[in-house]
């Protein structure tokens, strides 16, 4: 490499005896090697007389890893332009869990620099040996530095995962918190330390203890066994696709978006009832039934080339990110009111971008199939977001009283319209009190049914029918039901 160039050498996972023959021969030929870090066991076994220069000073400056890696890339590219080029050595394999090598190779080619890669054993092979694990048929490979800051694991929980770069207890703690969003605290996991070296150690422990290990260090990885079957979204999609397959279920095969409409509506109401009952087990079941409808529609859409589940998820993800610049961007907001105001401005900009700003109004996106109370609440809420609202609650209350008077004084042919106005005014009052009118009425319906069922029960105990009872007698049992609540 008289005219410059870069040789990237993989140093293997541990001791120098795991260097490849090619790597050892090359290290014996050169006078100097630049290593990403001296804190790797192989460095101690380098050939005698080999000058070692490290980039540990960049780490010691306390910068973020991205800045450190960027600095290393720039330095190696600069050295590679000198006569004789440069040899740059990294732990493990140059293309396994190594951020600098791919970027160096890419930019070197852009600059016309020759790049040679000397293979190395990665940390994976000795880790699989330590775990006595065959990674096939599937294994998720995860970077702890990406997993730790996340809110949810980015891989299916029914797939085993190997998390690399658990280099400190702090990183272990961050990874633990992310995994705990899906896995039980007592989920059995395995920490693998210094795989492939004489200091190799495998710890079996529950998830909640991984940041308490005294052995966590630069060469630590975490193996996360899978949860039981049927716990991943991808697996559920496969189940639904199987139902629609030629050898699947005859009923599911015949369904269309239109035939499933009533089922979607029914499952939605059953889910709402579970929420009203505040029963976690019932909610879990009903949310599953509702998810079935969503995935089934997505499967049908995919079969007819309309849309796929990936497109559904991408569309809503991009919309959520776009409409929450105060979370995913730099926009600053103060309070819910400003969030909703920005939301409407963003939607208005979206309509303008889609060419529907002049044809589609603020209320056009509301489905007419919504229950009347819900629809009234949404209409008022959207109008309020752009300032079409009273400034205090007093005129809201006055409007309710006004509409009640109009109902009482209305001729029979106008009574329905006046009652509609009264209900609309009451919904507005509920909105001002931050009460969902549909939920409020559902709860009242539920209380009435429970109290009336108590009256029927007491009547049966007394050997009487409701038809022969007086209103006063039924009122007494009604009051009794209220006291029992």
């Amino acid at each position: 490499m008289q005219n410059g160039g870069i040789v990237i050498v993989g140093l293997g996972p541990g001791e120098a005896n795991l260097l490849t023959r090619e790597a050892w021969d090359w290290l014996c030929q050169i006078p100097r090697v630049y290593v990403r870090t001296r804190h790797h066991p192989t460095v101690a076994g380098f050939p005698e007389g080999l000058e070692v220069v490290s980039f540990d000073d960049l780490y010691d400056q306390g910068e973020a890893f991205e800045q450190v890696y960027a600095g290393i890339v720039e330095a190696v590219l600069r050295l590679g332009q000198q006569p004789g080029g440069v040899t740059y050595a990294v732990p493990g394999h140059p293309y396994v869990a190594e951020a600098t090598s791919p970027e160096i190779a890419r930019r070197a080619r852009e600059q016309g620099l020759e790049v040679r890669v000397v293979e190395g054993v990665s940390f994976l092979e000795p880790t699989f040996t330590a775990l006595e694990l065959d990674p096939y048929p599937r294994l998720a490979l995860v970077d702890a530095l990406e997993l730790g800051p996340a809110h949810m694991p980015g891989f299916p929980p029914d797939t085993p995962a190997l998390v690399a770069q658990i280099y400190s207890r702090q990183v272990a703690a961050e990874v633990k918190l992310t995994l705990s969003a899906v896995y039980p605290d007592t989920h059995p996991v395995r920490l693998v330390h210094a795989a492939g070296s004489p200091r190799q150690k495998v710890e079996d422990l529950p998830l909640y203890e991984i940041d308490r290990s005294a052995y966590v260090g630069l060469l630590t990885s975490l193996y996360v066994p899978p949860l039981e079957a049927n716990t991943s979204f991808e697996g559920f999609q496969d189940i639904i696709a199987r139902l629609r397959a030629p050898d699947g279920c005859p009923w599911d095969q015949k369904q269309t978006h239109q035939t499933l409409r009533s089922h979607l509506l029914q499952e939605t109401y059953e889910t709402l009832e579970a929420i009203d009952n505040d029963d976690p087990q019932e909610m879990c079941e009903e949310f599953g039934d509702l998810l079935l409808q969503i995935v089934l529609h997505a499967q049908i859409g995919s079969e007819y080339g309309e849309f796929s589940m990936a497109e559904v998820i991408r569309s809503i993800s991009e919309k959520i990110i776009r409409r929450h610049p105060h979370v995913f961007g730099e926009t600053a907001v103060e309070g819910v009111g400003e969030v909703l105001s920005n939301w409407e401005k963003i939607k208005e900009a979206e309509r303008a971008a889609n060419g529907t700003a002049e044809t589609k109004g603020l209320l056009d996106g509301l489905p007419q199939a919504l229950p009347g109370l819900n629809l009234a609440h949404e209409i008022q809420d959207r109008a309020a977001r752009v300032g079409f609202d009273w400034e205090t609650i007093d005129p809201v209350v006055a409007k309710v009283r006004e509409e009640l008077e109009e109902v009482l004084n209305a001729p029979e042919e106008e009574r329905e319209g006046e009652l509609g106005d009264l209900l609309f005014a009451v919904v507005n009052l509920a909105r001002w009190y931050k009460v969902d009118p549909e939920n409020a009425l559902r709860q009242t319906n539920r209380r009435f049914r429970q109290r009336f069922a108590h009256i029927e029960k007491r009547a049966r105990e007394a050997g009487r029918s409701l038809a022969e009872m007086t209103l006063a007698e039924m009122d007494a049992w009604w009051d009794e039901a209220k006291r029992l609540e």
Side-chain angles (χ1 to χ4, degrees):
M1 302 177 68
Q2 297 298 320
N3 296 321
I6 301 171
V7 177
I8 305 176
V9 178
L11 297 180
E15 305 297 316
N17 63 320
L18 290 179
L19 279 169
T20 65
R21 178 64 180 267
E22 181 185 14
W24 178 259
D25 289 345
W26 179 255
L27 292 174
C28 289
Q29 296 176 32
I30 59 175
R32 180 186 301 112
V33 62
Y34 288 79
V35 296
R36 179 161 65 76
T37 176
R38 285 182 181 271
H39 302 292
H40 190 274
T42 299
V43 175
F46 276 176
E48 291 186 11
L50 177 61
E51 180 184 356
V52 179
V53 182
S54 82
F55 292 107
D56 287 321
D57 59 317
L58 295 180
Y59 290 95
D60 295 338
Q61 292 172 12
E63 297 177 332
F65 281 114
E66 292 79 8
Q67 294 173 297
V68 173
Y69 296 154
I72 293 174
V73 170
E74 293 294 341
V76 173
L77 289 170
R78 186 170 58 253
L79 292 166
Q81 293 171 348
Q82 299 176 356
V86 64
T87 294
Y88 170 59
V90 298
H93 188 285
Y95 283 95
V96 177
E98 178 54 54
T100 59
S101 299
E103 183 65 9
I104 289 170
R106 182 187 69 81
R107 291 184 55 186
R109 278 190 292 272
E110 291 178 351
Q111 297 177 17
L113 286 172
E114 179 186 351
V115 176
R116 173 187 171 190
V117 175
V118 178
E119 308 282 350
V121 178
S122 76
F123 76 99
L124 293 174
E125 291 86 352
T127 299
F128 295 150
T129 300
L131 292 169
E132 299 181 345
L133 171 72
D134 181 354
Y136 281 88
R138 55 180 177 164
L139 175 74
L141 299 177
V142 186
D143 185 347
L145 302 184
E146 179 179 311
L147 179 63
H151 297 87
M152 297 288 292
F155 53 88
D158 63 352
T159 295
L162 184 65
V163 185
Q165 300 201 76
I166 308 281
Y167 68 84
S168 70
R169 288 188 179 183
Q170 179 180 347
V171 172
E174 293 172 351
V175 166
K176 176 181 73 174
L177 288 176
T178 303
L179 292 175
S180 294
V182 174
Y183 298 84
D185 289 342
T186 56
H187 187 64
V189 298
R190 312 189 79 187
L191 281 175
V192 183
H193 310 281
S197 77
R199 297 179 291 107
Q200 175 179 299
K201 184 176 181 61
V202 178
E203 287 185 282
D204 293 278
L205 67 173
L207 175 60
Y208 73 89
E209 287 188 356
I210 64 172
D211 56 339
R212 304 177 189 177
S213 170
Y215 303 98
V216 170
L218 293 175
L219 302 179
T220 296
S221 299
L222 172 69
Y223 175 67
V224 185
L227 291 180
E228 61 272 18
N230 302 324
T231 54
S232 75
F233 184 73
E234 293 79 6
F236 184 62
Q237 282 186 272
D238 190 67
I239 291 173
I240 303 307
R242 175 74 172 80
L243 292 176
R244 294 275 302 176
D247 59 343
C249 171
W251 185 90
D252 290 281
Q253 291 169 347
K254 291 183 178 180
Q255 300 312 305
T256 66
H257 294 308
Q258 288 70 34
T259 62
L260 289 171
R261 184 182 183 281
S262 60
H263 297 283
L264 176 60
L265 187 61
Q266 178 182 338
E267 295 299 348
T268 300
Y269 279 116
E270 289 180 6
T271 301
L272 290 174
E273 185 174 357
I275 294 173
D276 290 342
N277 294 336
D278 198 22
D279 185 330
Q281 184 173 352
E282 185 182 0
M283 280 191 276
C284 181
E285 180 178 349
E286 296 300 339
F287 284 135
D289 291 343
L290 188 57
L291 179 62
L292 164 62
Q293 297 300 313
I294 302 299
V295 176
L296 191 51
H297 277 284
Q299 178 62 30
I300 293 171
S302 177
E303 292 170 4
Y304 286 94
E306 300 167 334
F307 55 85
S308 66
M309 179 57 78
E311 290 173 313
V312 171
I313 294 174
R314 182 184 64 192
S315 175
I316 186 60
S317 297
E318 291 177 350
K319 182 186 294 185
I320 291 297
I321 292 171
R322 186 170 61 248
R323 295 185 181 178
H324 290 79
H326 53 287
V327 176
F328 302 100
E330 303 299 326
T331 302
V333 296
E334 295 182 5
V336 174
E338 196 169 344
V339 170
L340 296 178
S341 177
N342 285 348
W343 181 281
E344 290 303 330
K345 292 177 183 177
I346 293 169
K347 289 175 65 176
E348 185 177 351
E350 291 172 354
R351 289 192 290 269
N354 294 332
T356 60
E358 296 181 0
T359 60
K360 190 171 183 180
L362 182 67
L363 305 180
D364 288 342
L366 290 171
Q368 296 303 308
L370 276 176
L373 290 179
N374 277 348
L375 183 56
H377 186 269
E378 287 297 322
I379 288 172
Q380 296 166 3
D381 194 49
R382 291 198 180 189
R385 292 180 196 173
V386 294
F388 192 73
D389 200 6
W390 279 297
E391 295 182 358
T392 68
I393 196 173
D394 293 339
V396 180
V397 175
K399 188 64 175 176
V400 172
R401 290 172 176 153
E402 175 189 328
E403 297 296 349
L404 177 58
E405 285 298 319
E406 292 184 7
V407 169
L408 297 175
N409 297 321
E412 184 175 353
E413 64 271 14
E414 297 178 10
R415 197 166 292 146
E416 180 178 351
E418 296 297 344
L419 280 168
D421 292 343
L422 175 60
L423 289 172
F424 196 82
V426 171
V427 168
N428 199 29
L429 180 62
R431 182 180 65 84
W432 269 82
Y433 281 129
K434 302 188 185 308
V435 172
D436 186 308
E438 183 70 27
N439 285 345
L441 185 57
R442 286 171 63 88
Q443 291 174 19
T444 297
N445 290 342
R446 190 168 169 226
R447 286 195 300 271
F448 186 97
R449 292 174 63 179
Q450 290 174 338
R451 293 170 186 174
F452 197 79
H454 179 76
I455 294 174
E456 292 177 313
K457 175 175 175 292
R458 296 289 276 126
R460 287 193 300 270
E461 292 172 350
R464 302 176 64 188
S465 68
L466 295 180
E468 64 186 29
M469 294 176 60
T470 66
L471 179 59
E473 289 174 317
M474 287 190 284
D475 272 344
W477 283 338
W478 177 275
D479 291 337
E480 182 180 76
K482 289 176 64 176
R483 290 194 300 273
L484 290 173
E485 290 174 1

